[in-house]
Structure formats: structure tokens, C-alpha cells
Amino acid sequence: MDFRIIHIEETDSTNRWLKENGEGTMVVVADYQTAGKGCGTNSWESERGKNLTFSMLIHPTDIPASQQFRITEVVSVALCEVLERYLLTVPELAEGLSIKWPNDIYVGDKKICGVLIENRLQGNVIVDSIIGIGLNVNQTTFLSDAPNPVSLRQLLGREIDREALLHDFLETLETVSSSETTYSAYRNKLFRLGKQAVFLDKAGRFEGTIQDVETDGRLLIRDLSGQERRYAFKEVQFVI
Ligand code: BTN
């Protein structure tokens, strides 16, 4: 992927910016977003000039729309790989890296990165995919009611070069996109895979164990009665 990289000082949301101004394959990085979007109706908190807030525009002609979850897998695995290299100096942090389904990146029980993927489909074709990434890099105080944010700076106790991190990520993305092990790498990194945990769906709280993520992205949980439950994004929440 040959990305044209555009830096802007401020915009409402880099995902929104790309929807309006994107052309070809490109990355737009903003120092500050006035209306950063999280998943659903959430907003994304990021202090000016402290973190990485960027979006990528790609046209994945080799992925049919029915397999769009592969984009989530590739991006999540690439984020884990790059963050693992930064956290390696503290092995227990690197070991605590995981992907909280579908695409939050966690260190232990804390969220270091969120991803918002917006695909435009036509039949079984992905016309374009906008992949928005909010990575907490140097912020040390979080003001919103986001439940459990953490940054690299907080974990490592030192300032991180955001530009270098962005380039490391884009290189890693390239490698992971052409890797044949991404499917299993994604599942091996899943937060709480195979561990009994508490979840919340529209019927209330229940205990169960994550078994797998299906190829269409649905989460498969076996509850305590042995029943298998399948959930699309937003149909179930983790109780952290
Ligand atoms: C989440 O809720 O976890 C997803 C957060 C995604 C935030 C990023 S920041 C860059 C891009 N632009 C946005 O408005 N949102 C995404």
C-alpha cells in the first residue's frame, strides 16, 4: 500500500474528512479532532497534539464484502504487533496486549486504542473502506467518562515519537496484509478467549466463555448452560 499522508492541524473527524475529501489510497492525520467519533454514538477523546488520531482510505479489491471482517482482523493484528514492539521493554505489559472483540486494543484491562471502520459496499464489492484509528500515545489525563483509557506514555513512563509510531504502524500493516496467519493471529490475541467472564446482552447479564469469532465477525460465546450464543457487533458487551 502506497499511502499519501496528509497532516492537518484540526478537523471535526478524520473519518468524516476522508469521506468528503479522500482520493485514492491515503492517510489523514489530525493533531486535533473537534468531534472525534467513537463506535456507535460515543465520541473519542484525544488531547490536542498528544496522540495519534488518523484515518486510512483503502480500496480492498481482493476482499469481497461478505468477508469485510478481514479488514478488522488485519488492522487489529497490525496494531497489536506494533504496540508489542513498543511494550517489549516491560514484558508483562507486552504479554497483556489483546484485541477486545471486535477491534479495541487492550493492555491488561485498559484500552489503549480504538478503531472505527466504515465500509462502503456495492453488492459484494467493498468500494472503499475508511479505517479510523485513535491511539493513546502521550496523553496522561483522560477527562471523558470513557471507562478505562490508558496511553503508551502512562505505561512506559516516557514520551513517544508519534510520527515514528505512525510509520512503524503503516509498515507493519503492509506486512500483516500479506501474511497468511492473520486469521489465527487475531483469534490468538482475543481478550478473554477461553476464560469464563461476565457479558451483557439485551436480556441482561450472563456468564460464559468466548469460543471463537466467526468469519463474518460474529462473536461465539458458550454460556454456563452450554448453549452457544452468536452476537453481531453491539449486540453484546463485556463487563470489565
Ligand atoms: C472506538 O470507539 O473505540 C473507536 C474510536 C475511533 C477513534 C478514531 S480517531 C481517528 C478517527 N476519526 C474519528 O472520528 N474516529 C476515529
Side-chain angles (χ1 to χ4, degrees):
M1 279 172 269
D2 224 353
F3 285 113
R4 186 157 64 96
I5 303 180
I6 294 185
H7 284 265
I8 48 184
E9 237 169 65
E10 181 176 311
T11 183
D12 49 358
S13 148
T14 53
N15 271 36
R16 209 272 322 144
W17 191 95
L18 271 184
K19 254 177 238 168
E20 231 160 71
N21 308 299
E23 267 174 24
T25 301
M26 65 191 285
V27 178
V28 61
V29 194
D31 260 348
Y32 186 62
Q33 298 183 119
T34 53
K37 287 197 292 178
C39 292
T41 53
N42 298 341
S43 56
W44 184 254
E45 175 188 352
S46 182
E47 200 179 323
R48 187 183 294 273
K50 293 278 183 183
N51 302 308
L52 278 173
T53 47
F54 65 101
S55 301
M56 300 179 286
L57 174 64
I58 58 167
H59 309 275
T61 47
D62 55 331
I63 303 179
S66 53
Q67 292 174 27
Q68 58 188 296
F69 190 70
R70 280 168 52 194
I71 301 173
T72 300
E73 291 172 352
V74 168
V75 171
S76 311
V77 170
L79 283 164
C80 267
E81 282 193 11
V82 76
L83 288 172
E84 193 165 19
R85 293 201 295 274
Y86 278 77
L87 294 176
L88 265 182
T89 47
V90 189
E92 57 274 27
L93 291 179
E95 281 156 25
L97 260 173
S98 67
I99 302 165
K100 179 167 153 288
W101 176 84
N103 52 21
D104 285 346
I105 309 299
Y106 266 53
V107 181
D109 278 347
K110 296 193 171 225
K111 176 165 169 174
I112 192 161
C113 181
V115 180
L116 177 64
I117 299 180
E118 298 180 279
N119 293 331
R120 200 155 56 90
L121 311 177
Q122 245 166 39
N124 202 20
V125 173
I126 303 175
V127 181
D128 51 44
S129 176
I130 293 178
I131 302 160
I133 297 182
L135 178 50
N136 298 331
V137 185
N138 290 318
Q139 186 163 338
T140 51
T141 324
F142 292 88
L143 302 174
S144 75
D145 54 3
N148 45 4
V150 75
S151 70
L152 274 177
R153 168 86 176 77
Q154 287 176 312
L155 294 171
L156 294 172
R158 66 179 169 88
E159 202 66 17
I160 302 294
D161 181 336
R162 293 183 296 147
E163 194 63 27
L165 176 56
L166 175 65
H167 283 94
D168 286 349
F169 167 71
L170 294 175
E171 268 176 31
T172 309
L173 186 68
E174 184 91 52
T175 322
V176 172
S177 327
S178 51
S179 155
E180 290 185 357
T181 58
T182 308
Y183 175 92
S184 50
Y186 176 87
R187 282 150 189 85
N188 288 337
K189 276 280 169 205
L190 264 190
F191 181 72
R192 296 194 174 161
L193 176 71
K195 292 186 187 133
Q196 194 171 312
V198 184
F199 299 90
L200 185 65
D201 71 5
K202 63 177 189 313
R205 285 160 86 105
F206 67 97
E207 277 186 54
T209 308
I210 295 176
Q211 306 293 307
D212 198 1
V213 175
E214 302 192 320
T215 47
D216 63 2
R218 284 187 307 170
L219 185 68
L220 181 61
I221 301 177
R222 182 179 295 137
D223 67 21
L224 291 187
S225 70
Q227 192 198 336
E228 293 201 323
R229 307 180 182 208
R230 288 173 169 74
Y231 294 99
F233 184 40
K234 289 280 167 198
E235 290 178 350
V236 68
Q237 281 176 42
F238 292 68
V239 177
I240 305 286

